């Protein structure tokens, strides 16, 4: 079966001006040789520390940013490199929910105008039919007709995110890229939005790329997990397998950073050091300066992302040599 979304060797970099140099600009690689596959109706969680390239990857897949190289394939069709006109039919099939629900909504438009806009652009529906569609969308996300005439500043953060989800659902897409959609919300509101996303996925057979730094949310919501470090995918696995036994030391570090409910458990072995600058990444494996398992080969050779089993991939010279004694998840 052809996967709904696939990326092959996808790369995206940015020119960064250097105030200490009078000529030229440094090249910052944000996404490096990313290969991802998402099957229909599944949820892939993309995790990693801030600045690792998660959001850039999501925007590049959506076509909001043009890749330097590589390919994005949607339902068997290559969409990377298409013009705005050629991309327009795919906009109905691919939508995005942004991290900040307030910044992603036009403050000058009412909720009704925001939700009606996709229908005006992509369909030939009349005013009455569009109004009916808007009311259906509001009902889908737990809002009422009374909210239609209000402006974004009149809502709470959770309600604004519901509006953002309703807008993403307007044209019945097959893929939704959710860029940390609950990170700015209180815990109780997070749970409501997560449950809403699960209900909508079952109702409309949606496929999600869920970008997050919260492993507990990913464990609850996602079927698979992909771990990103300095622009590269270093591990991909089913969620249950990853939380049982990560194969990459960075995945181990992320699990070790989860808070534990038992205060009697001693301090765990968190990886040392800080994230290196993406402008000057280390030679060999980019994680080796922080890795407790690093050896000479790690500083010399970049490990490729290879199959560790039929359902897992990892980029590590010492995959599977991790010690997870005492590590438990918050789930």
């Amino acid at each position: 079966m052809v996967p709904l979304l696939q990326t092959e060797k996808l790369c995206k970099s940015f020119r960064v001006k250097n105030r200490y140099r009078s000529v030229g600009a440094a090249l910052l690689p944000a996404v490096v040789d990313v290969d991802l596959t998402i099957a229909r109706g599944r949820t892939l969680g993309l995790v990693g520390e801030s600045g690792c390239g998660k959001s850039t990857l999501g925007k590049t897949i959506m076509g909001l940013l043009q890749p330097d190289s590589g390919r994005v394939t949607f339902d068997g069709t290559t969409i990377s490199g298409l013009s705005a006109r050629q991309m327009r039919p795919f906009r109905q099939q691919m939508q995005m929910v942004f991290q900040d629900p307030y910044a992603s909504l036009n403050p000058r438009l009412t909720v009704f105008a925001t939700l009606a806009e996709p229908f005006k652009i992509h369909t030939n529906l009349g005013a009455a039919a569009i109004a009916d569609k808007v009311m259906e969308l509001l009902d889908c996300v737990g809002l009422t007709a009374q909210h239609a005439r209000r402006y974004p500043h009149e809502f709470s953060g959770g309600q604004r995110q519901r509006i953002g989800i309703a807008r993403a659902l307007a044209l019945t897409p097959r893929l939704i890229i959710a860029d940390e959609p609950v990170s700015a919300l209180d815990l109780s509101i997070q749970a409501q939005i997560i449950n809403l996303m699960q209900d909508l996925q079952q109702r409309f057979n949606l496929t999600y790329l869920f970008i997050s730094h919260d492993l507990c949310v990913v464990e609850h919501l996602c079927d698979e997990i992909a771990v990103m470090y300095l622009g590269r995918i270093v591990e991909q696995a089913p969620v249950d397998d990853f939380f049982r036994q990560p194969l990459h030391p960075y995945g181990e570090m992320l699990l070790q950073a989860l808070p534990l409910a038992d205060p009697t458990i001693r301090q765990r072995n968190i990886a040392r050091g800080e994230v290196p600058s993406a402008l000057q990444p280390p030679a060999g494996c980019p994680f080796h300066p922080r890795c407790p398992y690093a050896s000479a080969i790690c500083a010399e050779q970049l490990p490729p992302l290879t199959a560790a089993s039929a359902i897992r991939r990892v980029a590590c010279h010492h995959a599977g040599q991790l010690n997870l004694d005492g590590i438990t998840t918050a789930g």
Side-chain angles (χ1 to χ4, degrees):
M1 181 180 292
V2 177
L4 183 64
L5 179 72
Q6 186 173 12
T7 69
E8 299 175 55
K9 300 295 181 184
L10 196 65
C11 296
K12 178 61 183 177
S13 57
F14 299 96
R15 291 284 177 182
V16 180
K17 292 184 178 180
N18 191 332
R19 60 180 177 176
Y20 300 109
R21 293 164 53 187
S22 58
V23 180
L27 190 65
L28 188 149
V31 174
V32 184
D33 291 335
V34 168
D35 293 336
L36 280 180
T37 299
I38 310 179
R40 290 172 175 81
R42 304 282 285 178
T43 302
L44 174 66
L46 183 63
V47 303
E49 294 168 289
S50 296
C52 70
K54 304 187 300 296
S55 295
T56 299
L57 176 59
K59 292 176 182 177
T60 304
I61 292 172
M62 280 294 300
L64 302 178
L65 297 172
Q66 288 301 315
D68 299 334
S69 61
R71 182 166 62 175
V72 179
T73 303
F74 181 79
D75 198 20
T77 302
T78 299
I79 61 173
S80 49
L82 296 181
S83 65
R85 181 179 293 274
Q86 293 170 326
M87 190 67 184
R88 187 168 180 175
F90 295 98
R91 295 292 183 206
Q92 302 179 45
Q93 305 297 322
M94 305 168 61
Q95 289 292 316
M96 192 162 187
V97 177
F98 296 92
Q99 178 178 0
D100 188 342
Y102 188 65
S104 63
L105 298 174
N106 190 331
R108 298 183 178 220
L109 295 182
T110 63
V111 170
F112 183 91
T114 296
L115 299 183
E117 191 171 31
F119 298 108
K120 293 178 180 179
I121 294 174
H122 291 279
T123 73
N124 296 318
L125 295 176
I130 290 177
D132 291 340
K133 291 287 187 181
V134 170
M135 294 304 121
E136 290 177 11
L137 288 172
L138 290 174
D139 183 65
C140 281
V141 297
L143 298 176
T144 67
Q146 297 177 351
H147 296 111
R149 299 299 174 183
R150 298 182 187 175
Y151 290 86
H153 72 272
E154 300 180 81
F155 294 92
S156 67
Q159 288 176 319
R160 285 196 287 262
Q161 196 60 287
R162 288 173 183 267
I163 297 168
I165 293 173
R167 180 178 58 184
L169 290 172
L171 299 173
T172 59
R174 288 187 285 169
L175 172 70
I176 290 181
I177 298 178
D179 186 5
E180 304 209 33
V182 298
S183 63
L185 307 177
D186 294 337
L187 287 178
S188 60
I189 307 302
Q190 283 187 18
Q192 295 176 20
I193 298 300
I194 291 169
N195 291 335
L196 173 64
M197 293 182 69
Q198 287 181 311
D199 292 341
L200 292 173
Q201 183 175 36
Q202 295 176 0
R203 181 174 176 179
F204 298 107
N205 193 30
L206 296 171
T207 302
Y208 289 139
L209 174 59
F210 188 84
I211 300 170
S212 180
H213 62 270
D214 191 331
L215 285 176
C216 297
V217 173
V218 169
E219 183 182 20
H220 177 74
L221 182 66
C222 300
D223 302 301
E224 292 185 86
I225 186 170
V227 182
M228 199 168 190
Y229 186 77
L230 283 183
R232 298 179 181 272
I233 301 297
V234 296
E235 183 171 359
Q236 184 175 357
V239 161
D240 292 341
D241 292 341
F242 174 81
F243 278 87
R244 187 182 307 113
Q245 173 72 65
L247 299 181
H248 195 281
Y250 182 56
E252 178 190 16
M253 187 201 80
L254 293 178
L255 287 186
Q256 288 176 336
L258 287 175
L260 296 179
D262 189 349
T264 63
I265 297 180
R266 60 182 177 83
Q267 178 65 37
R268 293 157 294 165
N269 180 28
I270 304 295
R272 58 185 181 271
E274 299 293 334
V275 181
S277 170
L279 290 171
Q280 295 180 326
C285 175
F287 188 65
H288 87 265
R290 307 174 65 192
C291 180
Y293 308 98
S295 60
I297 191 175
C298 300
E300 298 171 358
Q301 297 182 18
L302 176 68
L305 185 64
T306 56
S309 70
I311 55 176
R312 304 191 67 171
R313 299 187 302 158
V314 63
C316 181
H317 294 299
H318 304 291
Q321 298 180 12
L322 284 61
N323 179 11
L324 296 184
D325 292 342
I327 295 180
T328 59
T329 72

